[in-house]
């Protein structure tokens, strides 16, 4: 029973990088880094060697070779060499008669890992290569141990026939398969979220291009009037002033659109929610006009500030407002209203439309990946938005009825400026 506990403990150590990935990257729109692989592999290495299984003092068996292979695949040769060096130094510190055999096994398994590295990355049969690596590591470990300590291995044959294969086979399969799955899922989510953003901004850009023509047409008309009657100074000045106002308004909208379409940056700061709402409303107004939807904003006169990433916050607003506009595009007297107010220590943003609405089943599935009420939608816009809101410590509640409309209430914890 004690032996089984030791093996189970080693399997738990194999899951450390996988568990830490889910904890650290849960609220981040990026994937793992080499630094993350180095830190998690180092922690995992120290734990697995500290609590290694053994039947004779000084001869230790753990999943260090599995961790070195993992560090090589996901961190590259420099990270793997660092972890290998850590393993060798710590094994030397632990000491015992099996120290130099352990060094020899480390060198041999690392050489095998280097040979498999490129083939593993290029192959579609990664599970096969993973199990092959586990088999080779087990054979090297058992073979070299038997070569130097034949009597010891013969005396404890059942132990070595069970512990070494199980720790290496199951350990490498658990670590590589689970980590590979969560990394690929994260990459897929990030890629689709970015594509969703590009599609959203392209729709907004089409409406902006249509809207920009209106002030340009007005400016063109005033210039013709000035050209026809240049002697009338008062009229000329009036036309120039109106034209300048139209150009400045257009320039401001285009500037904010370009700011919204830029890649997102990882930064949190104190932002004025009302100001952000006005900016996004100006950008989304042409899109609303194109769909014959009135876009109304009612904001609190008091300063409402939250701690958030301004780029991500604007993108969330764009996603919700775009969905609301599209939901009531085919409704007469279509209207989307944005309301902002304070309730206790929270900022409440209400986005309400009088569109097609949703039933209970649809409401429950909102925010889940690949669910959308639109026939051509992926649902990733709302999935991303829910993800960002939760990252900021906020929450979303929905109330909706078919053919009546939908109301989203987004709650953020308020942060007052110092």
């Amino acid at each position: 029973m004690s032996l089984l506990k030791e093996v189970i403990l080693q399997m738990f150590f194999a899951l450390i990088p996988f568990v830490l990935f889910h904890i650290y990257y849960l609220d981040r729109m990026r994937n793992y880094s080499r630094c993350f692989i180095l830190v998690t592999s180092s922690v995992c290495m120290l734990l697995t060697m500290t609590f290694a299984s053994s039947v004779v003092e000084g001869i230790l068996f753990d999943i260090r070779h599995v961790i070195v292979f993992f560090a090589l695949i996901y961190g590259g040769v420099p990270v793997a060499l660092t972890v290998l060096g850590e393993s060798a130094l710590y094994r030397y510190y632990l000491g015992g008669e099996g120290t130099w055999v352990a060094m020899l096994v480390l060198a041999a398994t690392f050489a095998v890992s280097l040979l498999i590295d490129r083939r593993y990355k290029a192959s579609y049969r990664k599970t096969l290569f993973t199990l092959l690596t586990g088999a080779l590591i087990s054979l090297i470990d058992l073979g070299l141990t038997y070569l130097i300590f034949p009597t010891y291995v013969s005396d404890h044959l059942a132990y070595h026939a069970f512990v070494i294969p199980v720790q290496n086979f199951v350990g490498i399969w658990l670590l590589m398969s689970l980590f590979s799955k969560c990394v690929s899922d994260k990459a897929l989510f990030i890629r689709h979220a970015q594509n969703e953003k590009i599609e959203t901004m392209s729709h907004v850009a089409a409406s902006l291009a249509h809207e920009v023509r209106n002030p340009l047409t007005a400016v063109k008309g005033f210039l013709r009037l000035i050209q026809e009657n240049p002697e009338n100074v008062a009229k000329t000045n009036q036309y120039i002033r109106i034209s300048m106002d139209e150009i400045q308004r257009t320039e401001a909208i285009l500037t904010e659109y370009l700011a919204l379409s830029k890649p997102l940056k990882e930064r949190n700061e104190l932002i004025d929610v009302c100001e952000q709402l006005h900016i996004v409303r100006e950008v989304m107004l042409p899109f609303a006009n194109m769909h014959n939807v009135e876009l109304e904003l009612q904001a609190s006169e008091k300063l409402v500030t939250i701690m958030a990433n301004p780029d991500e916050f604007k993108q969330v607003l764009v996603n919700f407002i775009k969905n609301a506009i599209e939901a009531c595009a085919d409704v007469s007297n279509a209207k989307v209203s944005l309301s902002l107010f304070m309730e206790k220590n929270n900022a409440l943003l209400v986005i309400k439309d009088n569109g097609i609405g949703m039933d209970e089943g649809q409401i429950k599935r909102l925010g889940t990946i690949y669910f959308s009420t639109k026939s051509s939608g992926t649902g990733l816009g709302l999935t991303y938005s829910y993800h960002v809101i939760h990252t900021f410590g906020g929450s979303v509640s929905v109330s909706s009825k078919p053919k009546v409309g939908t109301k989203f209430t987004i709650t953020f914890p308020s942060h007052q400026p110092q």
Side-chain angles (χ1 to χ4, degrees):
M1 185 60 73
S2 176
L3 180 61
L4 184 61
K5 285 180 180 178
E6 289 178 352
V7 173
I8 291 172
L9 187 62
Q10 291 294 315
M11 296 304 100
F12 170 74
F13 293 144
L15 293 173
I16 285 176
F18 167 74
V19 173
L20 291 179
F21 179 88
H22 273 288
I23 294 171
Y24 185 74
Y25 288 100
L26 178 67
D27 297 328
R28 287 172 168 79
M29 282 297 290
R30 58 190 175 92
N31 223 321
Y32 72 93
S33 64
R34 286 189 175 186
C35 182
F36 173 82
I37 299 298
L38 177 60
V39 171
T40 53
S41 298
S42 298
V43 170
C44 194
M45 183 68 76
L46 289 172
L47 288 171
T48 190
M49 292 180 71
T50 302
F51 301 97
S53 62
S54 174
V55 287
V56 173
E57 190 174 348
I59 302 178
L60 311 172
F61 294 95
D62 47 56
I63 58 163
R64 76 190 80 159
H65 313 298
V66 171
I67 299 164
V68 171
F69 180 72
F70 166 76
L72 177 65
I73 295 297
Y74 288 100
V77 176
V79 173
L81 285 171
T82 305
V83 175
L84 184 72
E86 175 198 349
S87 174
L89 287 171
Y90 193 44
R91 184 64 189 87
Y92 181 76
Y93 168 76
L94 292 173
E97 60 178 326
T99 301
W100 297 110
V101 182
M103 299 297 182
L104 188 61
V105 173
L106 265 176
T109 54
F110 184 68
V112 168
S113 297
L114 284 173
L115 290 173
I116 295 174
D117 178 31
R118 288 187 179 179
R119 292 176 177 84
Y120 176 89
K121 290 175 180 175
S123 174
Y124 290 103
R125 297 180 176 180
K126 288 185 167 46
T127 303
L128 181 64
F129 272 91
T130 300
L131 296 175
L132 175 64
T133 306
L136 289 173
I137 289 172
S138 298
L139 287 172
I140 292 168
D141 204 349
L142 187 57
L144 289 175
T145 305
Y146 180 78
L147 191 65
I148 298 172
F149 301 119
T151 307
Y152 158 74
V153 174
S154 299
D155 291 344
H156 305 94
L157 190 59
Y159 169 81
H160 289 88
F162 172 74
V163 171
I164 294 177
V166 167
Q167 287 188 168
N168 290 321
F169 263 104
V170 181
I172 201 168
W173 175 74
L174 274 176
L175 178 56
M176 298 301 293
S177 60
L178 290 176
F179 194 83
S180 174
K181 181 69 169 63
C182 64
V183 164
S184 60
D185 285 349
K186 189 73 171 179
L188 186 67
F189 175 75
I190 292 169
R191 185 165 65 252
H192 279 301
Q194 289 170 342
N195 290 341
E196 187 85 4
K197 179 187 176 182
I198 292 169
E199 185 181 350
T200 297
M201 297 316 294
S202 67
H203 290 167
V204 177
S207 62
L208 273 175
H210 179 267
E211 190 76 7
V212 164
R213 289 195 186 98
N214 294 334
L216 289 179
T217 303
V219 170
K220 186 178 178 181
F222 285 126
L223 288 174
R224 280 181 178 170
L225 289 173
I226 293 170
Q227 190 179 35
E228 290 171 1
N229 192 14
E231 295 83 9
N232 193 332
V233 178
K235 286 289 184 183
T236 298
N237 289 334
Q238 182 186 0
Y239 295 156
I240 290 173
R241 187 172 64 255
I242 295 171
S243 298
M244 289 297 293
D245 289 341
E246 289 294 311
I247 291 170
Q248 285 176 358
R249 189 177 70 85
T250 305
E251 185 182 27
I253 293 173
L254 291 174
T255 301
E256 290 303 334
Y257 169 78
L258 291 173
L260 273 169
S261 60
K262 285 180 181 177
L264 302 176
K265 295 179 181 178
E266 283 206 11
R267 59 193 173 100
N268 272 9
E269 59 187 59
L270 206 62
I271 61 173
D272 183 342
V273 181
C274 185
E275 181 186 354
Q276 302 295 322
L277 274 171
H278 278 288
I279 289 170
V280 174
R281 180 183 178 274
E282 286 300 312
V283 173
M284 296 303 296
L285 203 53
F287 187 75
N289 292 339
M290 191 173 74
H291 288 81
N292 297 316
V293 177
E294 181 186 352
L295 186 57
E296 181 185 71
L297 172 60
Q298 295 177 342
S300 171
E301 294 181 359
K302 295 181 180 179
L303 180 66
V304 180
T305 51
I306 64 170
M307 188 63 70
N309 182 317
D311 296 333
E312 290 183 337
F313 183 73
K314 286 177 184 174
Q315 186 59 43
V316 167
L317 291 178
V318 168
N319 289 344
F320 274 104
I321 295 170
K322 178 177 178 287
N323 286 346
I325 291 169
E326 289 175 339
C328 58
D330 298 326
V331 176
S332 58
N333 300 318
K335 182 178 179 180
V336 174
S337 62
L338 313 174
S339 306
L340 175 67
F341 55 93
M342 289 288 296
E343 188 177 273
K344 297 181 180 178
N345 292 323
N346 293 320
L348 268 65
L349 171 61
V350 178
I351 301 171
K352 187 178 179 181
D353 67 70
N354 60 347
I356 56 175
M358 294 177 287
D359 57 35
E360 287 294 328
Q362 291 173 320
I363 292 173
K364 287 178 181 177
R365 294 184 64 191
L366 277 179
T368 57
I369 196 164
Y370 300 129
F371 172 74
S372 175
T373 56
K374 293 176 285 187
S375 58
S376 60
T378 63
L380 282 163
L382 269 187
T383 305
Y384 165 79
S385 299
Y386 273 54
H387 174 84
V388 171
I389 290 166
H390 293 149
T391 302
F392 298 156
S395 61
V396 184
S397 63
V398 189
S399 62
S400 183
K401 288 184 179 180
K403 299 181 180 180
V404 175
T406 304
K407 182 173 79 170
F408 284 92
T409 303
I410 308 171
T411 306
F412 294 100
S414 175
H415 285 261
Q416 296 303 319
Q418 297 295 325

